[in-house]
Amino acid sequence: MVAVRYQTAFRLYPYEKVADQDRATPVRHPVVIVGGGPIGMALALDLGNRGISCVVLDDHDGVGMGSRAICFAKRTLEICDRLGCADPMVDKGVVWNLGRVFRDEKEIYTFNLLPEEGHKQPAFINLQQPYFEQFIVEKIREQQANGAPIDIRGQNCVTALERREDHVLLDVDTPDGPYQIEADYLVACDGANSPIRGLMGLDFDGRVFEDNFLIADIKMKAEFPVERRFWFDPPFNRGETALMHKQPDDVWRLDFQLGWDIDREAEMDPDKIRSRVQAMIGEEIDFDLVWTSIYTFRCCTMKDYRHGRVFFAGDSAHQVSPFGARGANGGIQDIDNLGWKLAAVLSGEAPDRLLDSYHAERKHGALENIKNSSRSADFLTPRNPAHALFRDAVLDLVEDHPFARPMVNSGRLSMPCTYDGSALNGVDGLVNGPARSRPGSPCPDARLERGFLLDHLKTGFGLLAINAPNLTECVVDKTVLPVVHVTSQPGDEMSDRYLGSHDTAVYLIRPDQHVVARWDHFDHGAVRAAYRIAMGKDL
């Protein structure tokens, strides 16, 4: 019998018996994904869009209750746009770019996360996680109707696994009893308490932060501005911090720092929560409690994200503090990295060793997130008097001294990872080119005559040719690399982001929209060499 661990907000994939359950021998599948949250479902959609058959196993039949992750960054929205599901997210979500920081009741700092023009996606949207997951599953259903080989199995709980040389054998429990299936590759997207990680006897390295935070989602009609508002030592939560964000449906996320030594049961009393909220928003405003939770957090990572034919992604591989919205956003970047590599290997286009780069690149990204997240946590919850003295000194300076403002760490917000030093990077042949588009970087978006740049970089490997009209086609190892032609003028967005002081440039772009290599002119031999490196053929 499959245990019920939580209530569902949306019942998206009710249990249905499948033919695999009646087979005398286990059926082999190219990819099995354990965990139907946003990370697992996004990977399934990516693989299905690439024609790779995959099965998603989830021990429930839908999306869990509670807003949980709410802040989704521009890079996540760009990835979801590539997958075909960003539009309903942005339409439903609350778009924001501005953040304000207060000390006591006085504003000391304001920041804009998207100060430049020319991006299709906003800096951030606030959207409750159940909606985010729902929109991905709805796109999967649409793609299934078009023939995408994606199979979602609700109330299918993995109870055991056996790693073999050329596959993984899984024991799966269902309402109709157990069965077995096999996977060429298994991807664990099963969350912070990953059962797959537990079954394999694996654990995290990292630290627990000694503090507690109360989340209160409330529904109210209020004229508060649509922005991120953060307080140090506010009058309604003295000696601690607080945060306010707007979500869709007139729901607001409120966070209250509580301290380490608390009575959790007393703090979760609805009357006490209502008193905290009323002190924050004002006695005259009516509201309803929608969802409440107290959380602690840790910043940690697995040693290895690949174990033979088993991969870990999202919270099953790494965890960060909630400050900076790096959890779900980092997980989406995980599957953005892994999806095309699994597809290339399973289709025979690339050797298995390409998959080793998943660990190398995403561990790099996780450590970057952990570093920033830990610094935010140390600023918000000082570990010792020296840290507290530093924080207070920064807050004293920040209002009148701009140099101190970058030191105010109310949560360094999620930024896309650049894979500096990756074995898949080719040469940088654009001497002194813009740093933001160097090899390893995610392509920065820009406005074109026809839409936005990233709209044209949604398939596989390709070439971006800027002011190079004579480059019409490039064939490498029998693979046709499509060419996206862009005309740029000095001072426009493409020039600033891709040319710098050069008149022309050619970029080789990966399927996940990261730059492989770049040159100031086209050279077939150089492109071929970079392509083979990026596909793991000449590592």
Side-chain angles (χ1 to χ4, degrees), residues 9 16 42 72 93 99 145 188 268 302 314 392 407 412 421 435 445 450 481 523:
E16 294 181 7
F72 295 98
M268 284 296 290
M302 293 180 68
D392 291 343
M407 302 181 199
R412 295 273 188 264
D445 205 3
R450 297 174 292 112
L481 301 181
D523 181 296

Side-chain angles (χ1 to χ4, degrees), residues 501-516:
S501 61
H502 295 266
D503 295 325
T504 64
V506 176
Y507 283 71
L508 177 61
I509 311 298
R510 296 182 355 179
D512 58 1
Q513 300 175 335
H514 280 253
V515 175
V516 176

